[in-house]
Amino acid sequence: MNISLLIISIFLFLALYLGIKARKGKDMDMEQFAVGGRGFGTFFIFLLIAGEIYTTFTFLGGSGWAYSKGAAAYYVPAYIFLAYVLSYWLVPKIWRYSKQHSIISQPEYFASKFQSRSMGMIVAVLGSIALVPYIVIQLKGLGIIVSEASYGAITPVAASVIGAIVVTTYVMISGIHGSAWTAILKDFMILVVVIFLGIYIPFHYFGGIQPMFESVQSAKPDMLVLADQGLSQSWFVSTVLLNALGFYLLPQTFMVVLSSNGERTLRKNAIALPLYTLLLLFVFFIGFAAIMEIPGLQGADGDLSLLRLAIQTFDPWVIGLIGAAGLLTALVPASVMLMAASVGLTNGFFKVLVPAASEKQQLVVSRMIIIAISIIALIVTITGGEALAILNIMSYSLITQLAPALFCSLPKNNIINKYGAMAGILSGVLIVLYATIDDVKVATFLPDVPHVINDISTGVIALFINMIITIIVSSSTKQINIKETEMNNLNKIS
Amino acid sequence: MNAIKLLLFVPFIGFLGLLPFANKVEPYILGMPFLLFWVAFWMVMASVILMIVYKFDPDNEGSDLD
C-alpha cells in the first residue's frame, strides 16, 4: 500500500465512523431517518444543500468541461446560484406545507397537493429514474478518483464497490444524520483542496491567473467565450434556466429542504449559498491550466485532467489528500440520493400498497430498498458505458417536468387539477425520452430554423409543451373534478 | 408576494439578459476573462440582493416561531 492509498483509506474509515456515530442518541423513526426529525439548523442545511453542488461531477466534470469545452462549463455554477435565488421564495412554501401535513418525501408532497395517489406513484418512479444515474456517476467518479490517486494500486471497480458498501452501511444505520455528519468532513476537505489547487497551479505554471488565461487565449482563442452555435448563448440561457428550475425538484434536494428546522433557516441559507458557488471558479482554473500543461486528453478522459495535472505537480501525500477529498465528494451526495430514492419509493409505493404498515416495517422496507438501489447502481457502474452521459442530461430534463405541477400547486387556488398535471408530466417525459434517445432537435423537423432556436435545450421545449397540455387537460376536465369533489363531500357527510 | 421579493428577478434578468454583452474575453478583471468575471460578479450580487430582500422581507419579522 502506498502513502496516498493509506491516506485515502484513513478518510474512508473516518467517514464510516462519523456516519455510524451520527445515529447516537436518536430514536430512529421514519421522520428521523428521512428528514432528521425536521431539526437541522442553518449549519447542517447549508452543508447538505452545498453538498449537492460539490459532487464528483463538479470535481471531475467541472474541470473536465473547462478542459474540453471551455466557457460552456460556466453553466454549472450559473444554474446553481440562480437556483439559490429562486429558493428564497420557493422552498419556505414547500417546507411549510410539508410540516403542516407531516410530509417527508417528494412523492407524498405531490400526492397530497393533488389529492391523488397515482400522482405520488408517478413522482416516485420519475424521481428514482432520475436518481439512479446520479448515484452511478458518484460511484463511477469515486472509482476513477481513488484508482488514479492511488497510482493504480486499486482498480476503479474495486474502489467503487468498497465505496458503495461504506455509504450503504452508514445510510442504513443513521439515515440522513449520517449524511449530515460526513458532510462536515467533506466540505472542510474540498474547501482546502480546491482553493489550494486553484491558486497554486496557475501561479506555479504561469505566474498568475491572468497570464494563464492569456496563454489559453493565444493557444485556443475560442475557449474563453461561448460559441456561435452548438454550446451557444441560447443553449447556455435555456440550460441554466431549466436546471435552476429543476434544482429543488431533484428528490435529494427536496428532501434536504424538508429536514430544515424552519423557514428562516432556509432563507438565511439562500443568502450565503451563492457565495459558496464562487469556489467552482477555482475548479475551472485547474481545468484551464490543464489545457496547456497536459494537452491531448480526448473525450471522457477530459474528466481526468484535474487528477493528472495534480499527479504531475505534487508529491504522493498531497495526491492522497486530493483523493480523500474526491472520495468524500462522492460519498456524501450518494448517501443523500440513496435516502431520497428509498424514502420516496417507501412512501409513494409501499405505504399505498400496504396502508397498515407500521413505522418499523416502513423502516425495514426503506433499508431494503437502499440495498437494492445500491446494487442496481453498482451493476450499472460496472457494466454501463457511454450511455451515462446521456442519462445525466436526461435526469435534469426529466425531473424538471414536475415544475408546472409544483408551481401551480403553490397558490391557494390551484388552477390545474391532477388530470392536467399527470398528462403534462407524462407528455413532457415522453418528449425528453424520445428526443434524447433518437437524438432529435428542432432542426430535425424544421431544417431552416436558426441556431438560436435549434440550440435551445430539449428539456425546455418539452417543458413548454408540458405546460400547454397541463392547462388544456385541466380546463377540459374541470367538470370531472367538481363531480369528484362533490362525491367526496357527500362521502364525508354520510 | 410582497414587493421586495420582486428584487429576486434582478439576477435572472441582469445575468442572463445582458449575457450577449458579456460574452467576450477582454477586458480582464481580477485576472479573469470578462465572461468568467461576469459569472463571478453575479454570484456576489445574488448574495447581496438576497441579503437586502431578507432584511426588508416582512415574513422574517416577529418571533422565530416559523
Side-chain angles (χ1 to χ4, degrees):
Chain A
M1 185 182 268
N2 53 43
I3 178 79
S4 53
L5 185 57
L6 181 71
I7 293 174
I8 297 171
S9 309
I10 291 171
F11 276 91
L12 182 75
F13 283 110
L14 197 57
L16 183 63
Y17 169 75
L18 279 174
I20 292 174
K21 189 175 168 273
R23 170 176 187 161
K24 219 179 153 196
K26 305 285 176 331
D27 210 0
M28 204 50 85
D29 56 15
M30 214 41 206
E31 203 185 28
Q32 276 295 346
F33 188 69
V35 293
R38 269 179 255 274
F40 289 144
T42 312
F43 179 65
F44 272 137
I45 294 295
F46 183 87
L47 290 184
L48 283 172
I49 295 184
E52 293 308 314
I53 3 174
Y54 296 103
T55 67
T56 54
F57 177 71
T58 21
F59 201 60
L60 299 181
S63 50
W65 260 59
Y67 178 85
S68 52
K69 303 200 163 84
Y74 304 162
Y75 94 90
V76 179
Y79 85 76
I80 294 173
F81 88 79
L82 287 174
Y84 294 147
V85 175
L86 182 69
S87 83
Y88 182 94
W89 169 80
L90 174 67
V91 302
K93 289 178 193 293
I94 296 175
W95 185 88
R96 192 182 319 151
Y97 183 86
S98 304
K99 165 106 177 166
Q100 282 161 359
H101 296 80
S102 302
I103 287 165
I104 58 170
S105 75
Q106 193 179 30
E108 247 187 316
Y109 179 89
F110 280 89
S112 165
K113 275 279 187 183
F114 287 91
Q115 305 272 302
S116 159
R117 285 187 199 134
S118 335
M119 182 83 183
M121 288 188 177
I122 291 176
V123 175
V125 172
L126 192 58
S128 311
I129 293 175
L131 276 172
V132 169
Y134 262 86
I135 300 169
V136 170
I137 290 167
Q138 301 311 318
L139 294 179
K140 211 165 186 136
L142 188 152
I144 293 172
I145 292 169
V146 172
S147 170
E148 285 275 322
S150 68
Y151 300 85
I154 187 166
T155 64
V157 171
S160 299
V161 173
I162 296 169
I165 292 172
V166 167
V167 73
T168 308
T169 307
Y170 78 72
V171 164
M172 280 175 53
I173 293 173
S174 304
I176 198 160
H177 292 282
S179 313
W181 279 89
T182 45
I184 302 177
L185 183 65
K186 178 205 121 182
D187 272 57
F188 173 73
M189 286 295 290
I190 196 81
L191 217 80
V192 172
V193 163
V194 165
I195 293 178
F196 170 71
L197 288 181
I199 293 174
Y200 182 86
I201 285 179
F203 277 89
H204 177 70
Y205 286 108
F206 305 92
I209 289 164
Q210 185 162 343
M212 174 187 77
F213 278 115
E214 280 165 352
S215 72
V216 170
Q217 194 193 356
S218 55
K220 291 191 163 183
D222 300 333
M223 291 302 257
L224 301 179
V225 286
L226 293 167
D228 288 332
Q229 49 174 287
L231 300 175
S232 63
Q233 292 195 39
S234 63
W235 168 83
F236 187 89
V237 172
S238 59
T239 306
V240 164
L241 282 176
L242 183 81
N243 287 17
L245 272 182
F247 188 79
Y248 281 91
L249 280 163
L250 292 171
Q252 73 270 27
T253 327
F254 201 93
M255 199 165 79
V256 170
V257 168
L258 302 188
S259 64
S260 144
N261 66 2
E263 292 172 33
R264 209 169 296 185
T265 298
L266 293 165
R267 291 201 195 94
K268 261 190 231 160
N269 259 299
I271 300 175
L273 281 162
L275 289 179
Y276 209 56
T277 53
L278 282 170
L279 258 192
L280 282 171
L281 300 184
F282 295 99
V283 177
F284 292 151
F285 294 168
I286 305 163
F288 282 116
I291 294 176
M292 306 307 295
E293 290 304 316
I294 37 165
L297 297 178
Q298 294 298 325
D301 279 351
D303 291 346
L304 296 176
S305 57
L306 185 147
L307 291 167
R308 291 278 163 84
L309 182 54
I311 288 172
Q312 178 185 309
T313 316
F314 297 107
D315 287 344
W317 67 271
V318 181
I319 302 303
L321 290 175
I322 296 170
L327 169 85
L328 292 165
T329 60
L331 289 185
V332 177
S335 70
V336 187
M337 292 168 198
L338 274 176
M339 290 282 309
S342 114
V343 174
L345 288 172
T346 308
N347 272 314
F349 266 102
F350 177 69
K351 243 171 97 177
V352 175
L353 298 176
V354 192
S358 68
E359 284 270 316
K360 246 200 182 125
Q361 286 167 324
Q362 290 179 39
L363 269 174
V364 172
V365 170
S366 290
R367 288 178 170 139
M368 280 175 359
I369 296 175
I370 288 175
I371 297 181
I373 296 174
S374 289
I375 292 172
I376 293 170
L378 256 184
I379 293 171
V380 182
T381 306
I382 295 166
T383 59
E386 285 301 306
L388 271 185
I390 298 178
L391 288 174
N392 179 31
I393 298 166
M394 252 164 59
S395 290
Y396 253 106
S397 302
L398 286 176
I399 205 72
T400 314
Q401 301 309 320
L402 294 175
L406 175 74
F407 282 88
C408 291
S409 79
L410 295 175
K412 276 211 181 79
N413 294 317
N414 188 350
I415 53 159
I416 65 166
N417 60 28
K418 60 179 174 184
Y419 305 106
M422 282 192 274
I425 292 168
L426 291 177
S427 46
V429 165
L430 288 177
I431 294 167
V432 171
L433 290 177
Y434 166 67
T436 319
I437 293 166
D438 275 5
D439 200 16
V440 172
K441 301 226 72 173
V442 179
T444 316
F445 303 104
L446 306 164
D448 296 329
V449 86
H451 290 298
V452 177
I453 294 177
N454 192 41
D455 292 340
I456 290 176
S457 154
T458 313
V460 171
I461 293 163
L463 190 63
F464 187 69
I465 298 171
N466 168 347
M467 262 165 14
I468 294 172
I469 290 180
T470 304
I471 292 167
I472 293 175
V473 174
S474 290
S475 52
S476 59
T477 53
K478 238 177 205 156
Q479 229 41 45
I480 309 177
N481 217 31
I482 292 168
K483 274 191 192 140
E484 215 168 68
T485 327
E486 277 168 8
M487 288 294 287
N488 284 341
N489 289 344
L490 284 177
N491 285 341
K492 267 181 211 157
I493 296 163
S494 61
Chain B
M1 181 153 150
N2 41 58
I4 190 78
K5 286 196 184 131
L6 290 175
L7 278 181
L8 298 176
F9 282 111
V10 173
F12 285 88
I13 298 165
F15 171 61
L16 293 176
L18 297 178
L19 190 69
F21 305 102
N23 190 27
K24 54 190 181 189
V25 179
E26 272 152 357
Y28 277 87
I29 300 181
L30 299 172
M32 290 181 280
F34 193 78
L35 181 61
L36 185 57
F37 166 76
W38 184 250
V39 177
F41 171 76
W42 278 102
M43 285 174 188
V44 178
M45 279 305 289
S47 268
V48 172
I49 289 168
L50 283 166
M51 203 186 296
I52 295 169
V53 174
Y54 185 87
K55 212 142 198 149
F56 294 99
D57 184 357
D59 287 354
N60 294 315
E61 280 166 14
S63 72
D64 205 17
L65 291 170
D66 305 308

